[in-house]
């Protein structure tokens, strides 16, 4: 093509300037989080990095589809249509359907929190949580993300991840949350090895209230660890050795429901 010839737009390619509309729409949705469930137009623009005029136009389209809602105070929030679509994800919906009866049994016995989580990138994603009245303070909500190195379910998911991923996590400066205490990579390696050997993780947290979490892996039909199940109880009078068999049995029940013939370590 000579300098005098007009540029020809290649089908399927976009001009180098500007972001695709879908990227900007996702940026708007990504502006919301647990600490910011309601946003004004100016907040939405600032947190997404999109000019207010464009943010308003895109938000209008998302409102029409149901991905966003707008209250009487003109602030935006995530819409039910988005939740409806998100609930169809196989790693969440199918897993929850199988797990809920077993989680209900554990909640009935412990009268505290029962958590179900999957790994999403370098974090654990809380798929479901059952909680009794009077349970200890919970740091994480369903749909929220949790550190792999600083939660019971996270440690299980990290322990059974591939070695390359483990090394990637261990190479980072890790801090226990919310105590903000540095994590020793050597100690964490020993902990992960013990979890793989025992098929069970016991994690203790000192703040905001002392708790003990006991977690076990959930396997799929191929034997891979696809989730982790845990109970979270007050540290006072906690008996991990008594909780462990109950959590392990529930996790194996969920595994069988997902098609696992026999979870590793079962008899």
């Amino acid at each position: 093509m000579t300098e005098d010839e007009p540029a020809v737009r290649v089908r399927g390619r976009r001009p180098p300037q500007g972001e695709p509309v879908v990227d900007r729409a996702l940026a708007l949705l990504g502006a919301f989080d647990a600490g910011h469930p309601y946003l004004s137009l100016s907040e939405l623009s600032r947190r997404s990095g999109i000019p207010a005029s464009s943010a308003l136009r895109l938000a209008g389209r998302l409102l029409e589809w149901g991905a966003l809602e707008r209250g009487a105070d003109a602030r935006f929030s995530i819409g039910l249509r988005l939740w409806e679509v998100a609930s169809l994800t196989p790693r969440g919906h199918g897993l929850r359907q199988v797990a809920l009866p077993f989680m209900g049994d554990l909640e009935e016995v412990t009268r505290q929190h029962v958590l179900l989580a999957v790994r999403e990138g370098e974090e654990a994603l809380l798929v479901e949580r059952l909680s009794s009245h009077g349970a200890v303070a919970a740091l994480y909500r369903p749909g929220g993300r949790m550190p792999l190195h600083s939660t019971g379910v996270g440690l299980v998911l990290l322990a059974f991840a591939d070695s390359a991923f483990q090394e990637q996590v261990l190479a980072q400066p890790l801090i226990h949350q919310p105590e903000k205490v540095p994590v020793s990579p050597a100690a964490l390696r020993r902990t992960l090895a013990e979890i793989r050997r025992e098929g069970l993780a016991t994690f203790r947290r000192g703040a905001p209230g002392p708790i003990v979490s006991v977690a076990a892996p959930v396997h799929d039909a191929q034997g891979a660890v696809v989730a982790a199940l845990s109970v979270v109880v007050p540290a006072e009078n906690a008996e991990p050795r008594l909780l462990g068999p109950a959590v392990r049995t529930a996790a194996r029940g969920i595994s069988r429901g997902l098609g696992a013939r026999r979870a590793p370590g079962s008899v």
Side-chain angles (χ1 to χ4, degrees), residues 95-246:
L95 176 62
R96 285 178 67 255
Q97 278 191 317
V98 173
L100 278 172
F102 298 96
M103 295 179 68
D105 290 342
L106 277 179
E107 188 269 337
E108 183 66 26
V109 170
T110 62
R111 310 304 299 174
Q112 291 291 331
H113 300 296
V114 181
L115 278 56
L116 180 69
V118 299
R119 182 163 71 86
E120 181 66 17
E122 295 186 0
E123 297 173 296
L125 180 67
L126 186 56
V127 175
E128 184 60 273
R129 187 190 77 202
L130 299 184
S131 304
S132 290
H133 294 294
V136 294
L139 291 183
Y140 307 104
R141 61 176 180 81
R145 292 174 179 263
M146 312 162 67
L148 291 176
H149 65 281
S150 196
T151 57
V153 288
L155 286 171
V156 167
L157 295 170
L158 182 58
F160 289 95
D162 63 82
S163 58
F165 176 79
Q166 289 182 21
E167 293 304 318
Q168 177 182 326
V169 172
L170 286 164
Q172 303 174 18
L174 301 175
I175 304 294
H176 272 306
Q177 298 295 341
E179 298 96 330
K180 301 187 184 304
V181 177
V183 176
S184 163
L188 182 53
R189 287 179 192 277
R190 291 193 295 271
T191 296
L192 297 179
E194 182 179 358
I195 292 170
R196 288 190 294 271
R197 183 172 60 252
E198 300 294 331
L200 206 64
T202 300
F203 173 76
R204 298 177 184 275
R205 190 187 75 211
I211 61 92
V212 172
S213 174
V214 180
V218 173
H219 300 80
D220 65 8
Q222 288 71 46
V225 172
V226 294
L229 177 74
S230 76
V231 294
V232 179
V233 301
E236 184 181 10
N237 300 322
E239 294 285 351
R241 278 187 276 183
L242 298 179
L243 292 170

